[in-house]
Amino acid sequence: MALVSGYHHLTLCTDGVQEDYDFYTKVLGLYSVKRTVLFDGTIPVYHLYYGSRNGDASTIITTFPFRKPAVFGKRGTNQSKIIQQAIPVGSADYWVDRLNEKGVEAAKTSRFGITRVAFKHPCGIPHELVESPADNRPSIVNEAQGVKPEHGIKGIYGAAIAVFDRTAMDDFLGVGMSMTKEADSDEGLMFSVPNAGGPNSIVEVLHESSGPQGTWTLAGGTIHHLALNTGNEENQLKLKAHLEGLGFTDVSDQKDRNYFKSCYVRSPGGALFEIAWSVEGGWALDEPADQIGTTLVFPPWFEDRRQELIAGLEPAEF
């Protein structure tokens, strides 16, 4: 029995905070779901969350706008490569036009017979909007940004991982995460993520044997992790034990992310995976439910550092 049900969120390390916020809200039409700070380490860094108006599971993209002197990640192989979000079938042309009009170079493409729009985040991380026929979720409508129901992003489709050896991912994704291999061709591998009657979400594995090794540190310009949803703590701990039993013994202890609880594991192909579940109250723990994402909030254990952290954050207009 699968212990995951779709994605929980996807997380990137980006560059400037203003370009990041404008890209996801004004260009892609997502909503600000939470504005807080990096919970690990001591350097003041924003942690921004984007998604549906209510922050529904499997719609959330999170970013660390990590603009620090001489600290920038290197994109390459053995690393998560492409962030993918689902759009309605037939809406690719709309998004090509919208993105190009807003100064984001975009083009229609195809992989595994599925139409996509390929473009990049301002910091260079590849993104795709994927026409997903199996996704029955309603679109994220943002009339203020001109995004209507027939075009709006539905949520996470998945991610593509670049690897030296694509066969190394078979046991991890199939046996470890209970994913089903849907395609195996010269374009790569496609695995479907278990979903309890929900959207069809995917992990793609792309063979890139000659590229440079991508960095795994927390640094701008790279994807940090792919988070799968375990639904509750019991499933999370069972999956942690299952992965450890298969030999993936570097699964982290549970970490408190205030709105959810997380464990992390490095896959054989280099991509970092998280297994997470949302706590009761979720995004409304520290903001009214109808006002999430509108204020800068801190976890209780950082309240004594509030002024220090604010002073160290890059200025931005939200």
Side-chain angles (χ1 to χ4, degrees):
M1 181 178 177
L3 298 172
V4 301
S5 181
Y7 280 91
H8 191 275
H9 63 272
L10 304 175
T11 294
L12 304 74
C13 299
T14 57
D15 189 24
V17 60
Q18 191 69 63
E19 67 181 21
D20 184 82
Y21 184 82
D22 291 349
F23 174 75
Y24 284 111
T25 60
K26 297 178 182 179
V27 177
L28 295 184
L30 302 183
Y31 289 89
S32 174
V33 172
K34 189 63 60 178
R35 275 190 279 138
T36 183
V37 293
L38 173 63
F39 289 0
D40 299 322
T42 59
I43 301 174
V45 176
Y46 274 112
H47 193 178
L48 305 179
Y49 294 71
Y50 310 98
S52 68
R53 188 188 295 274
N54 298 320
D56 299 307
S58 201
T59 69
I60 302 296
I61 304 290
T62 96
T63 65
F64 300 114
F66 203 85
R67 178 169 283 176
K68 300 297 174 185
V71 180
F72 202 80
K74 181 174 69 177
R75 289 185 292 275
T77 195
N78 274 8
Q79 179 193 66
S80 293
K81 179 182 178 71
I82 308 171
I83 292 293
Q84 301 167 330
Q85 295 170 286
I87 55 173
V89 173
S91 63
D93 288 333
Y94 164 84
W95 281 103
V96 169
D97 292 342
R98 177 182 173 89
L99 289 163
N100 280 294
E101 286 170 1
K102 291 185 176 292
V104 179
E105 185 176 346
K108 200 156 62 168
T109 185
S110 177
R111 189 164 59 254
F112 300 117
I114 300 171
T115 299
R116 305 147 189 263
V117 178
F119 58 105
K120 293 180 180 179
H121 185 283
C123 76
I125 296 173
H127 279 55
E128 291 177 346
L129 298 178
V130 184
E131 290 191 356
S132 179
D135 195 329
N136 296 317
R137 290 177 292 180
S139 293
I140 298 171
V141 180
N142 193 331
E143 294 284 2
Q145 302 300 336
V147 181
K148 298 181 178 180
E150 60 267 31
H151 303 130
I153 289 170
K154 291 174 173 286
I156 295 169
Y157 177 79
I161 302 168
V163 298
F164 284 133
D165 177 9
R166 68 183 196 172
T167 61
M169 294 293 284
D170 275 5
D171 282 349
F172 179 81
L173 295 177
V175 180
M177 296 293 192
S178 299
M179 298 185 192
T180 301
K181 188 186 292 186
E182 304 290 352
D184 184 344
S185 71
D186 57 1
E187 291 185 303
L189 307 174
M190 175 194 284
F191 293 84
S192 59
V193 181
N195 286 283
N200 184 17
S201 48
I202 297 296
V203 173
E204 297 176 349
V205 179
L206 310 178
H207 187 215
E208 295 187 2
S209 60
S210 59
Q213 168 68 52
T215 51
W216 293 350
T217 54
L218 186 67
T222 58
I223 299 169
H224 191 257
H225 63 262
L226 317 175
L228 301 173
N229 191 3
T230 67
N232 57 51
E233 185 172 37
E234 180 182 6
N235 284 344
Q236 180 189 62
L237 297 180
K238 283 182 178 178
L239 182 53
K240 172 177 162 63
H242 174 63
L243 290 168
E244 290 171 334
L246 292 174
F248 301 106
T249 54
D250 61 344
V251 187
S252 76
D253 291 334
Q254 187 187 82
K255 296 182 182 294
D256 186 355
R257 300 313 190 192
N258 207 29
Y259 316 105
F260 50 92
K261 302 291 180 70
S262 304
C263 298
Y264 300 86
V265 58
R266 183 74 63 183
S267 69
L272 183 65
F273 279 78
E274 176 182 338
I275 51 176
W277 56 278
S278 297
V279 303
E280 186 175 355
W283 311 119
L285 283 175
D286 48 15
E287 291 179 297
D290 61 350
Q291 297 177 39
I292 58 173
T294 61
T295 60
L296 178 61
V297 294
F298 294 86
W301 56 89
F302 273 3
E303 279 298 335
D304 61 341
R305 294 184 60 204
R306 172 182 284 269
Q307 294 308 313
E308 170 203 346
L309 291 170
I310 290 175
L313 293 171
E314 180 184 348
E317 294 184 8
F318 297 105

